[in-house]
Amino acid sequence: RSQQLRQSVRALERGVARLEGARLSLDEADAALEGRPGWQGKLEQTSEVALKAVAIQAQEEERYRLAREIHDGPAQILANMALQLEYISKLALKEPSRARDEMVTIQRDLRLAVGEVRRFMYDLRPPALAQQGVGPAVESHCQRLADRFGLEIAVRWDANRTLPSSWDSALFRIVQEALQNVVKHSRATRVEVRAVERDDLLVVSVTDNGRGFDPQMVGDLDPSHFGMAGMRARAQQMDASLEVNSAPSQGTAVFLRVPLR
């Protein structure tokens, strides 16, 4: 039984290593950003070079966040399990009953680590995004957030137009980032996510009833708001416009308008 657990731990360690390697795939986004024609000109009075730099910095922040979560989550659990296995190997001959109790603890920790790895993998590439498209992927993500953080999230995705897969990914990441900002900053209790087709436009909105903020006090180059720069960069990939409306104590509304050709 101990041998089986060791094999499981090694398998999980390989999974974590692959997950850390998956972070490198974000480099492709850097190359995509640098090659997109939508970067021409200025974006909301921010220079092309400055916005490109801050978008890349946003991706670096995302890599750092993933590395930190892997270190503090499954990697830490695995390290503790390795110590526990060494302890059990010494305990098994002298106190078998205590060794069995320790095995139960390791099994619990192993299930926890597997759950964490699966969550990271989901965040990197939700299965529904490739299998069903952006609408179902957004609905699934909202349900997970609602369950995890106790938010009330209403989703109404009334858009059936088939989009390029790169657009699906960009749309999903923009909505994901907007929801992440709600969780991290807004103190909201209710969020509404909508998508509707209007006059050759796909309009996607994320609104919340949180504390809001003064948009004039937040710039794209603010290090604490790199996520906003990443959203704008992804919008540019689709030649779309991104608008953020907010005011203190008035909640926040993010509007993405994508031209449908």
Side-chain angles (χ1 to χ4, degrees):
R1 197 173 182 182
S2 177
Q3 180 63 25
Q4 291 177 340
L5 277 174
R6 287 192 177 92
Q7 292 174 351
S8 297
V9 169
R10 285 195 292 271
L12 189 56
E13 286 174 336
R14 289 194 296 271
V16 171
R18 287 195 297 270
L19 183 60
E20 291 185 283
R23 292 186 293 107
L24 298 177
S25 66
L26 291 174
D27 286 332
E28 297 177 5
D30 289 347
L33 284 174
E34 292 173 359
R36 295 289 180 178
W39 280 106
Q40 302 302 317
K42 294 184 178 181
L43 179 60
E44 295 191 5
Q45 299 181 345
T46 303
S47 71
E48 175 186 353
V49 174
L51 186 56
K52 187 184 299 183
V54 80
I56 292 173
Q57 180 62 38
Q59 292 168 341
E60 291 298 325
E61 289 290 311
E62 179 66 8
R63 292 189 188 93
Y64 175 74
R65 183 187 69 80
L66 284 171
R68 185 178 65 246
E69 289 197 17
I70 291 171
H71 176 271
D72 294 343
Q76 190 65 44
I77 294 172
L78 288 172
N80 292 336
M81 288 173 61
L83 294 175
Q84 286 176 302
L85 284 172
E86 292 180 10
Y87 176 64
I88 288 173
S89 65
K90 298 176 182 178
L91 197 63
L93 296 177
K94 298 179 180 179
E95 301 181 65
S97 61
R98 287 188 59 190
R100 284 193 294 271
D101 291 340
E102 290 293 330
M103 292 284 283
V104 171
T105 300
I106 287 182
Q107 289 173 329
R108 181 200 64 199
D109 290 345
L110 183 58
R111 285 192 292 269
L112 179 62
V114 168
E116 287 292 292
V117 169
R118 285 175 176 167
R119 181 173 67 84
F120 293 142
M121 293 174 67
Y122 174 90
D123 288 342
L124 285 172
R125 183 67 179 179
L129 187 57
Q131 297 169 3
Q132 300 173 280
V134 65
V138 167
E139 291 177 357
S140 176
H141 183 65
C142 287
Q143 185 60 57
R144 289 168 64 92
L145 284 183
D147 293 341
R148 188 177 177 192
F149 296 103
L151 280 170
E152 181 184 351
I153 305 179
V155 182
R156 183 177 175 182
W157 201 272
D158 296 328
N160 300 314
R161 186 81 62 96
T162 300
L163 301 174
S165 60
S166 60
W167 285 29
D168 274 354
S169 296
L171 276 171
F172 179 81
R173 295 306 178 192
I174 289 171
V175 173
Q176 185 183 45
E177 181 62 36
L179 291 169
Q180 181 71 7
N181 288 338
V182 172
V183 170
K184 289 171 59 177
H185 305 297
S186 75
R187 300 179 186 173
T189 59
R190 176 175 171 78
V191 186
E192 182 175 313
V193 179
R194 295 192 62 188
V196 62
E197 295 179 20
R198 296 175 182 164
D199 300 328
D200 293 327
L201 282 179
L202 171 62
V203 181
V204 180
S205 62
V206 180
T207 60
D208 68 67
N209 66 347
R211 60 179 180 172
F213 62 94
D214 183 353
Q216 294 184 349
M217 301 298 292
V218 177
D220 284 332
L221 301 181
D222 185 340
S224 65
H225 291 273
F226 282 135
M228 188 67 69
M231 291 166 66
R232 296 192 187 282
R234 288 188 170 97
Q236 283 295 99
Q237 293 178 25
M238 301 176 287
D239 291 328
S241 65
L242 186 76
E243 178 184 353
V244 180
N245 296 328
S246 187
S249 303
Q250 299 297 317
T252 299
V254 176
F255 294 96
L256 176 71
R257 297 177 176 88
V258 184
L260 298 175
R261 302 181 184 87

